[in-house]
Amino acid sequence: MPEYRKDPITNRWVIIASERSNRPMDKVVSTVSKKEFCPFDSGNEHLTPPEILAFRPENSKPNDENWWLRVVPNKFPAVTQDTLPKLIKNGIYFSIEGYGYHEVIIETPEHNSTIAYMSNFEVEEIIWAYLQRFNEIKKDKKIKYVQIFKNYGRNAGASLSHPHSQLIATPIIPIFIEEELKGAKTYFNIKKRCIFCSIIQQEKEEKVRIIEENDSFISFEPFAPRFPYETWIIPKEHSSNFGDLNTKLVKNFAKILKTTLLRLNILLGDIPYNYMIHTSPFDNIENHFYHWHLEIIPRLTNAAGFEWGSGFFINSVSPENAAQNLKSLEEGLL
Amino acid sequence: MPEYRKDPITNRWVIIASERSNRPMDKVVSTVSKKEFCPFDSGNEHLTPPEILAFRPENSKPNDENWWLRVVPNKFPAVTQDTLPKLIKNGIYFSIEGYGYHEVIIETPEHNSTIAYMSNFEVEEIIWAYLQRFNEIKKDKKIKYVQIFKNYGRNAGASLSHPHSQLIATPIIPIFIEEELKGAKTYFNIKKRCIFCSIIQQEKEEKVRIIEENDSFISFEPFAPRFPYETWIIPKEHSSNFGDLNTKLVKNFAKILKTTLLRLNILLGDIPYNYMIHTSPFDNIENHFYHWHLEIIPRLTNAAGFEWGSGFFINSVSPENAAQNLKSLEEGLL
């Protein structure tokens, strides 16, 4: 029987309708393009703008080919530092000039690698790169938010198949973050507690949507997921600021990110997905009501007219079933 | 130079970044499947659930093959009337049982037809079907909103290529509508005026985003569109209730819908798109602050991690350029 479910943070409703998994053509196959002429490969450093950050041996030079991770400006940026975030008013319309950062984290020189199959060290290095750029950009007082995200596979929006993530830093707090903050503040004002901490507690009691747990993190299917197999990873201890991660947390975050993506890969194949990190904005980064986390959305289905028209999502897989499937994979496979 | 732009209704921001149109692989090609075994074809009426409404000659019988438009329940419904919209509470989570309507409007018996190339009469009949179902479902006091929408092409979520639209009626007002209502109410409280009427006035003064105008409607590119060539059609006279359309308005709406889709088709080819009608919810359907309209979103690009993570959209075509391109098509082609 289908169900409407309300995300307790944003008050966004979704419809859980398992029956729809029977309908024809709900799946879209990923088509990651083959290696051809890749600007992210080792030896092709001249094809990217000069690097902003790189993890490389001490004796190597910037932009030469000895590296195991590079961060470069996006060659086709959505926003740049060539302007200032000036507000422009025109009648009822407002605009702000497109000041910001748009960077690419080249995760490895290995063209055909993917996080699910990387070593723990490699994934940790990716997290360290996120952290370093996040905390560096935080010093720019014009920036309010840094969205770190990954597009994997062409149907998830990746134009290049070489393993990479991106970040876009903006002088505006994105609406989804605003919505989460608003919901979290409202809850905190009533309950004197972080809503994410309450979710973690209830999930640990119910045990039907948790996939995996380590010392510092759990991965679970949210109660009201927009997409089949939407999966969140969240620190168990309250923490509003992604930039606060220490060495132990980086290790445990890298580990659960890798195994969660591996579970999805084993169960569903080499599917396209996006993930994104949600954290408190810079202007109130340490607080008691918000809790940073990572959201993974496999791109098994396309949002269509109903979703784009209403903000209501039809999801053909219940989170309880998805969690059960992801959890029950044999330990030997992981 | 890229720009952030705020939608004055929902306060949603987008980034207008024309430079990004140069980047590789921003376009996705539509693949509408060929006619094979189509449940919406004339002669195959037994393959759909019994019709709810049909436009057919007076002497023909329900579900026989003489018809020019049929409305049937979706065979794989997201919501049904087999339950009641009962609220269920479980700790911090709420759900409501999946009561609602999910219907398919089969627009024509012609398998390879499409609105852009239909006769005016055919398009008017589609609008009449929308109206009849909308006003009929309005009698069900458990329903708060009817989302009417169309998925055209596989990449827009259409699982069947035969021309059809859909409606989903729910006991919940969708969040996008809530957001529009909230923004419109706030504006009305300050300005004592409908914000959509203000937009129409400014667009008519600026003349840079309007594509077409007739006695009753304009079609234009919104100031802060999420997608390249996102196009809205709106009645020029204030009207909050889509269900209020009279014969003259139906004629003029059908005409501008057809020519707007034809412009998109001539300029961009047989691209996938969605459209959806936004109207006031049933509980306050006649009011001074909201204004019904139709939104068309061509599916030339895929929303990726940034969009899904932030609610922020990167659009590689400015609405002024899009409007100019759509407007300047030779009259002879239309």
Side-chain angles (χ1 to χ4, degrees), chain A residues 76 93 96 99 203 278 309, chain B residues 4 20 76 93 179 203 278 309:
Chain A
F76 304 93
Y93 297 137
I96 291 182
Y99 181 82
E203 291 303 337
H278 279 183
Chain B
Y4 299 105
R20 282 178 66 79
F76 304 94
Y93 298 136
E179 284 172 0
E203 292 302 337
H278 280 183

Side-chain angles (χ1 to χ4, degrees), chain B residues 20-248:
Chain B
R20 282 178 66 79
S21 60
N22 301 321
R23 95 184 224 268
M25 212 225 68
D26 224 17
K27 291 209 174 184
V28 171
V29 180
S30 156
T31 51
V32 181
S33 63
K34 286 208 182 66
K35 176 172 177 173
E36 277 165 17
F37 178 68
C38 176
F40 298 164
D41 273 9
S42 175
N44 287 344
E45 291 75 15
H46 60 286
L47 296 176
T48 68
E51 65 199 31
I52 299 164
L53 169 71
F55 297 158
R56 48 169 72 251
E58 276 189 25
N59 59 349
S60 77
K61 284 186 204 138
N63 303 303
D64 85 5
E65 61 184 77
N66 293 304
W67 53 275
W68 61 91
L69 183 146
R70 290 178 88 215
V71 180
V72 299
N74 192 305
K75 210 170 172 177
F76 304 94
V79 289
T80 71
Q81 291 121 69
D82 300 340
T83 179
L84 283 174
K86 200 176 67 181
L87 185 74
I88 300 158
K89 190 179 181 309
N90 173 24
I92 53 169
Y93 298 136
F94 287 91
S95 58
I96 292 180
E97 287 187 7
Y99 181 82
Y101 300 74
H102 189 174
E103 302 179 357
V104 179
I105 298 98
I106 308 170
E107 298 165 357
T108 165
E110 294 298 325
H111 186 86
N112 292 315
S113 182
T114 176
I115 293 178
Y117 293 96
M118 284 182 190
S119 70
N120 287 339
F121 171 79
E122 286 176 290
V123 187
E124 287 164 24
E125 291 291 89
I126 297 169
I127 310 302
W128 283 119
Y130 292 171
L131 278 171
Q132 233 174 289
R133 291 306 301 147
F134 183 87
N135 286 319
E136 184 63 29
I137 294 171
K138 187 166 158 242
K139 295 175 191 161
D140 180 341
K141 296 301 170 202
K142 294 186 287 301
I143 294 297
K144 292 198 177 157
Y145 195 79
V146 177
Q147 177 67 65
I148 297 166
F149 63 100
K150 181 174 172 73
N151 300 336
Y152 178 79
R154 185 163 292 192
N155 280 318
S159 44
L160 294 165
S161 64
H162 192 116
H164 68 287
S165 318
Q166 296 181 69
L167 69 81
I168 294 183
T170 55
I172 294 163
I173 301 170
I175 188 166
F176 286 180
I177 304 303
E178 288 280 20
E179 284 172 0
E180 287 190 355
L181 290 167
K182 195 180 147 202
K185 271 182 201 164
T186 305
Y187 185 88
F188 189 85
N189 288 340
I190 298 164
K191 304 273 188 179
K192 307 298 171 215
R193 189 165 190 225
C194 163
I195 188 168
F196 295 88
C197 289
S198 292
I199 288 171
I200 293 165
Q201 188 190 342
Q202 183 161 343
E203 292 302 337
K204 290 182 80 168
E205 283 161 16
E206 286 199 53
K207 293 187 179 65
V208 293
R209 284 176 294 270
I210 290 182
I211 299 158
E212 194 174 329
E213 185 174 350
N214 66 29
D215 274 359
S216 320
F217 291 87
I218 62 167
S219 70
F220 70 107
E221 306 286 303
F223 176 72
R226 293 157 294 178
F227 303 96
Y229 291 92
E230 177 173 345
T231 303
W232 292 19
I233 296 173
I234 193 162
K236 295 197 286 188
E237 298 263 313
H238 182 78
S239 165
S240 59
N241 175 9
F242 169 70
D244 264 354
L245 283 185
N246 61 23
T247 305
K248 180 188 166 195

Side-chain angles (χ1 to χ4, degrees), chain A residues 284-328:
Chain A
N284 187 11
I285 201 158
E286 304 288 349
N287 64 59
H288 295 299
F289 57 90
Y290 193 77
H291 199 124
W292 81 265
H293 60 279
L294 176 137
E295 301 181 3
I296 303 167
I297 53 170
R299 301 292 294 272
L300 298 161
T301 55
N302 259 344
F306 181 65
E307 285 83 2
W308 287 118
S310 66
F312 235 135
F313 285 76
I314 300 172
N315 182 344
S316 60
V317 180
S318 84
E320 294 78 17
N321 280 349
Q324 180 57 33
N325 293 341
L326 288 167
K327 198 173 151 178
S328 62

